[in-house]
Amino acid sequence: MLAFDLDFEKRLADVDKRIQGLQKKGSKLKGDERVKLNEYQQELETLMREVYGNLTTWQTVQVARHPKRPYTSDFIDLMCENFFELRGDRRYGDDRAILGGLASLDGETVVILGNQKGRDTKERMECNFGMSHPEGYRKVLRLLRHAERFHLPVITLVDIPGASPGLEDEQRGIAQAIAENLMVMSALRTPIITVVIGEGGSGGALGISVADRILMLEHSIYTVASPEAAAAIMWRDSAYAASAAEAMKITAKDLKQLRLIEEIIPEPLGGAHQDKAEVAASVKSAILRHLAELRRKSTEDLLECRYQRYRDIGRSAIANLPVGALP
Amino acid sequence: MSDDGKQATMPASMNGAHPDAAMRSLPDNLAVKCPKCRELLLGKDWERNLKVCPKCGHHAQLTAQERIDLLIDEESDFEQIDRDLVSNDPLKFVSLSGTDRSKLDGLADSTGLKESVVVGSGIIDGLPVMLVIMDFRFLGGSMGAVVGEKITHAIEIATYERIPLLIATASGGARMQEGVIALMQMAKTSAALARMAEAGVPYIVLLTDPTTGGVTASFAMLGDVTIAEPGALVAFTGPRVIEQSMHIKLPKDVGYAEYLLAHGMIDGIVHRRALKATIARLLHLYDDAEKAMN
Ligand SMILES: [Zn+2]
C-alpha cells in the first residue's frame, strides 16, 4: 500500500483516499464506480510522476529522511543471506547506530555495514537517531580490518544525519575515530562500495564511506553539513535550511554532475519506502555489477585507482592550477 | 612533554629586532587589549611576548606569516608553493545575499592571502621540514578544494623527499560554500597521509586555537606526534554547539587543549615561547633515527 505523509504530497494523498474509498467496496463496486476507480488510479500515477519527477532539493531532503524509508537492516534482510552480526568495538562498547557483520551476497561472503536509525521510539533512542558515537566508528574499523584479513569486499550503507555531537563523543575522541577510518579506508586492501541510502551527513557519513565506488539512491542526499546546521553557521538562522540545501548541491543528481559519485540508483515511483523489495533488488544488482568490475583489478591497481579517485576531487574547482607532474 | 617556556630560545624574527617581520605590524605605542582577560598592553610588548598575554597566559591567534616567522630559522629559506591557487566557486554558490565571490575578493585584500593555508618548505634548527600553516582570518580557516589540494601536495612532497611534515591547524572545518567537494578534502588529505605513514615519514601536528569540525576529524587527528598551544579550542563539535543542541551546561574545560591532554588525545601542550625548541627536539630525534637507518 502506498503512503503519502509529506506536506508536498497532499494532492497525492487526496486522490489516494478516493481510490481507497472505492477499493473498500470490493466486489460491490458498481460499473460507473469501476470507471471512476480506474480514472483515479491513472490520475494518481500521473500526479506521482509529475511531483516525483520535479522534486525540489528540500523535498528530496524530506524523502531521504522519510520515517518509513528502508534502513540498513531492511537492505541487509532483503539483499543478503546468512547475515552474521558482528558487535562491539572491543574497546568501549557496541554502538547500535552501526549495524554490520558478515553476510552472503549472491553466494559471495562480504562484510556489510551501515548506519541504523531505528524505526520506533525505543529503537531510535537505542540508535541515538542514527548518530554514531566513537565506538561506532571503531566497530567499523574492526570490521574493515576483518574484511581485509579475509579478502572480503566491503559494502557500506550510509544513512546518518551526522556524527553524534555530545560531550561523551568529544571525551572518547569522535574526531580521531572518524579521521582514522578515513586513513584506513583509503588504503584498505580489498574493494569497498558505498551506497548512500538516505542521508549522508557530513564527516559522520564520510567516516564510513571512503570507497572505490559511491552509489546514491535517487532521492538520497549527501551534504558537507546538515542543511539546518549550514544555515545556522552561514546565515545565523536554521530557518533557511531549504536555501542552504539548495545552495550546497546535495542531491544525487547534483553530485553525479559534479562527478563525485559513480551512479544513481533509481527508486520506485514515490520513493524507496513505497516498495522496499524493489529498491533492495536495484541496489543489490548495482552492487554486484560494480563488485564484478572491481574484482578484475589487482590489489595494487585497486588502491592506486582509489587514491586517484580522491586525489582528483576538487582539482577542477581550482583556478590557476598548474598542469603537470606531481612529485 | 613538559615544556613550560623557561628554556625557550627566541627565534630571531620574534625578538623585536627583525626589520620586516610580520609581527611588527602594530605601532609601538598602540594599546592592545587581551581578548581573554582584557588586560591593556602596549603593542610592542604584546608582539614581543608573541601575542601571549603576560597576565593570563592567553595565546592569541597568529597569522600564517607570524607562525612561519616564529618557527623557521631564516625567513629567506621559506619556499612557498601553490601560492596562487584560488577557488573558482565550483557550486556557483548562491548565498542569501547573492553570491559569495565579492566576500572572497575582499578577504584576499585585507589579509594579503589568497586562501586559508600557506604551504612551503623551510628549515627549523638546521633541519628541513614541510610546513602547512593555516590562517583563521581567511574564511575561518575553512577547508575547500584549494586548501585540500595544497595540503595534499605538501604531504606528497614530504613523502617523496622524506622530509618531516608539520601542520599547524586553525580552522572551523570544511567550507560550506564548496559542499561535498570540501567534505571530500578530508578523505583526500587522509589518503595522502596514509601513504606518508606507510613510507615512514614523520608527521607532527600543532593544534592552535580554534580547530573544529572536518579539519579536526581528518588530518588534525592523524599526527605521529600531536601538540597543542595552551587554551586552544580543539573539538569536533564545539562546546557552544553541544550546549545548544543537547540543552546542557558543560564544564568549562570541555573542548580545550588541556581537556584533550587529559583524555589521551594529544601528546603535550607547549607554550608559544618553547614551541620552536620543542619541535626542533622532535625533528632531531627523527633525523637521528633516519640517519641510523641509512
Ligand atoms: Zn590576558
Side-chain angles (χ1 to χ4, degrees):
Chain A
M1 195 159 83
L2 296 167
F4 302 107
D5 323 298
L6 302 172
D7 55 10
F8 64 87
E9 292 180 318
K10 190 157 182 327
R11 280 191 304 161
L12 307 181
D14 288 345
V15 181
D16 190 46
K17 214 164 155 191
R18 277 182 265 152
I19 293 171
Q20 283 180 33
L22 288 172
Q23 278 174 337
K24 242 188 280 170
K25 298 190 177 177
S27 56
K28 283 181 269 171
L29 216 57
K30 295 186 197 108
D32 59 333
E33 286 175 326
R34 221 176 286 276
V35 176
K36 269 261 176 285
L37 177 62
N38 205 292
E39 270 176 33
Y40 290 155
Q41 279 168 333
Q42 275 177 17
E43 188 187 344
L44 181 61
E45 166 130 6
T46 310
L47 265 178
M48 277 172 84
R49 286 196 191 288
E50 187 192 313
V51 170
Y52 272 82
N54 300 284
L55 290 184
T56 65
T57 300
W58 187 246
Q59 288 167 346
T60 306
V61 172
Q62 289 173 278
V63 178
R65 290 174 176 171
H66 199 289
K68 296 189 177 112
R69 198 166 172 83
Y71 291 152
T72 289
S73 55
D74 299 309
F75 282 100
I76 292 176
D77 282 350
L78 292 164
M79 298 193 306
C80 303
E81 273 146 43
N82 198 10
F83 175 62
F84 191 100
E85 188 181 359
L86 299 176
R87 294 181 60 166
D89 68 348
R90 301 296 187 271
R91 287 162 169 79
Y92 178 82
D94 182 40
D95 188 348
R96 301 311 291 152
I98 294 281
L99 174 65
L102 295 160
S104 179
L105 184 75
D106 206 35
E108 181 178 6
T109 305
V110 300
V111 163
I112 186 164
L113 61 93
N115 306 113
Q116 185 66 17
K117 282 179 169 172
R119 195 65 72 186
D120 56 32
T121 311
K122 183 170 162 282
E123 265 181 29
R124 275 167 203 267
M125 300 287 282
E126 276 170 13
C127 295
N128 193 27
F129 303 89
M131 299 181 291
S132 294
H133 295 298
E135 51 273 25
Y137 292 98
R138 291 178 182 134
K139 171 158 78 173
V140 170
L141 182 63
R142 187 186 144 227
L143 268 59
L144 293 169
R145 290 298 189 203
H146 187 101
E148 188 175 52
R149 191 172 311 133
F150 301 104
H151 310 287
L152 307 175
V154 177
I155 316 294
T156 79
L157 306 175
V158 172
D159 189 16
I160 178 173
S164 182
L167 172 61
E168 54 184 343
D169 304 298
E170 295 297 322
Q171 274 171 349
R172 300 200 288 274
I174 185 100
Q176 187 278 338
I178 292 172
E180 187 170 5
N181 282 9
L182 303 184
M183 190 153 109
V184 167
M185 290 187 96
S186 74
L188 199 77
R189 300 178 67 80
T190 192
I192 307 174
I193 296 174
T194 287
V195 186
V196 184
I197 56 171
E199 286 183 274
S202 187
L206 191 64
I208 71 162
S209 66
V210 178
D212 299 300
R213 300 286 160 86
I214 300 182
L215 323 176
M216 283 180 77
L217 279 182
E218 186 181 355
H219 305 307
S220 68
I221 57 167
Y222 202 155
T223 64
V224 61
S226 79
E228 291 82 358
I233 292 165
M234 293 189 293
W235 305 318
R236 313 211 172 278
D237 190 346
S238 57
Y240 296 118
S243 305
E246 193 90 33
M248 289 190 297
K249 306 268 199 296
I250 64 174
T251 67
K253 213 166 146 190
D254 290 332
L255 297 178
K256 182 77 172 59
Q257 239 156 39
L258 289 164
R259 291 188 298 161
L260 293 168
I261 63 164
E262 275 71 20
E263 186 175 326
I264 300 172
I265 303 171
E267 294 188 23
L269 186 60
H273 56 285
Q274 306 289 13
D275 193 338
K276 290 179 187 177
E278 184 189 323
V279 74
S282 305
V283 169
K284 183 175 177 176
S285 84
I287 291 172
L288 290 172
R289 182 160 34 79
H290 284 280
L291 203 51
E293 284 174 29
L294 294 172
R295 281 274 189 216
R296 283 198 284 274
K297 294 175 193 271
S298 69
T299 303
E300 298 317 312
D301 192 22
L302 182 77
L303 293 183
E304 184 57 27
C305 290
R306 192 186 303 155
Y307 188 81
Q308 290 306 332
R309 185 191 186 284
Y310 285 91
R311 185 68 187 80
D312 283 344
I313 293 179
R315 282 173 68 86
S316 64
I318 300 172
N320 316 330
L321 189 70
V323 262
L326 293 164
Chain B
M1 219 169 286
S2 61
D3 294 285
D4 55 6
K6 280 182 189 117
Q7 86 287 28
T9 54
M10 184 89 76
S13 59
M14 295 297 285
N15 64 9
H18 200 284
D20 59 356
M23 286 296 274
R24 307 286 297 132
S25 53
L26 294 172
D28 284 357
N29 54 358
L30 187 88
V32 180
K33 206 186 257 177
C34 167
K36 196 171 179 198
C37 75
R38 308 263 150 217
E39 174 83 349
L40 273 173
L41 298 151
L42 280 180
K44 62 176 176 184
D45 293 336
W46 178 237
E47 284 169 351
R48 197 167 289 154
N49 213 35
L50 313 178
K51 296 194 175 173
V52 177
C53 174
K55 196 177 171 207
C56 75
H58 175 70
H59 281 53
Q61 289 166 14
L62 295 184
T63 67
Q65 189 58 54
E66 288 167 347
R67 178 76 60 191
I68 292 165
D69 291 343
L70 172 71
L71 292 174
I72 64 173
D73 293 355
E74 298 288 342
E75 210 185 335
S76 57
D77 286 340
F78 185 68
E79 278 185 53
Q80 192 176 159
I81 59 163
D82 298 339
R83 183 199 300 259
D84 294 325
L85 304 196
V86 291
S87 165
N88 64 14
D89 188 18
L91 304 186
K92 305 283 166 270
F93 191 83
V94 182
S95 187
L96 280 184
S97 51
T99 69
D100 276 17
R101 279 313 298 173
S102 53
K103 199 176 167 192
L104 274 175
D105 295 342
L107 273 166
D109 286 345
S110 68
T111 61
L113 297 168
K114 289 185 171 163
E115 257 295 349
S116 60
V117 70
V118 175
V119 170
S121 58
I123 308 284
I124 295 178
D125 203 24
L127 298 174
V129 60
M130 270 315 283
L131 294 159
V132 170
I133 314 290
M134 303 189 86
D135 194 316
F136 194 75
R137 293 172 305 158
F138 194 99
L139 285 179
S142 62
M143 173 162 63
V146 172
V147 171
E149 178 69 22
K150 287 172 83 164
I151 294 177
T152 304
H153 195 192
I155 297 166
E156 287 175 337
I157 293 173
T159 306
Y160 184 78
E161 308 271 353
R162 300 196 67 81
I163 308 169
L165 171 72
L166 171 69
I167 299 188
T169 62
S171 173
R175 187 173 297 166
M176 309 287 146
Q177 290 84 350
E178 293 185 24
V180 174
I181 296 173
L183 183 74
M184 291 296 165
Q185 303 307 309
M186 295 167 63
K188 173 165 162 170
T189 50
S190 300
L193 286 170
R195 291 193 161 189
M196 188 172 182
E198 179 70 29
V201 176
Y203 169 34
I204 303 166
V205 174
L206 170 64
L207 301 167
T208 82
D209 186 61
T211 299
T212 57
V215 164
T216 314
S218 57
F219 58 84
M221 283 294 141
L222 294 173
D224 294 302
V225 176
T226 306
I227 55 180
E229 287 200 321
L233 172 67
V234 180
F236 181 60
T237 311
R240 258 185 313 158
V241 180
I242 297 178
E243 287 186 335
Q244 281 163 15
S245 63
M246 301 307 218
H247 309 287
I248 49 170
K249 187 96 190 93
L250 293 178
K252 253 192 173 149
D253 61 339
V254 172
Y256 293 90
E258 295 71 14
Y259 183 84
L260 266 73
L261 185 65
H263 285 87
M265 295 299 155
I266 60 175
D267 297 294
I269 297 172
V270 182
H271 191 283
R272 194 168 283 165
R273 217 178 290 129
L275 198 54
K276 179 176 177 172
T278 303
I279 291 168
R281 273 205 298 132
L282 202 46
L283 290 175
H284 278 288
L285 287 167
Y286 289 121
D287 187 55
D288 291 346
E290 177 92 359
K291 276 189 200 132
M293 268 183 32
N294 298 330

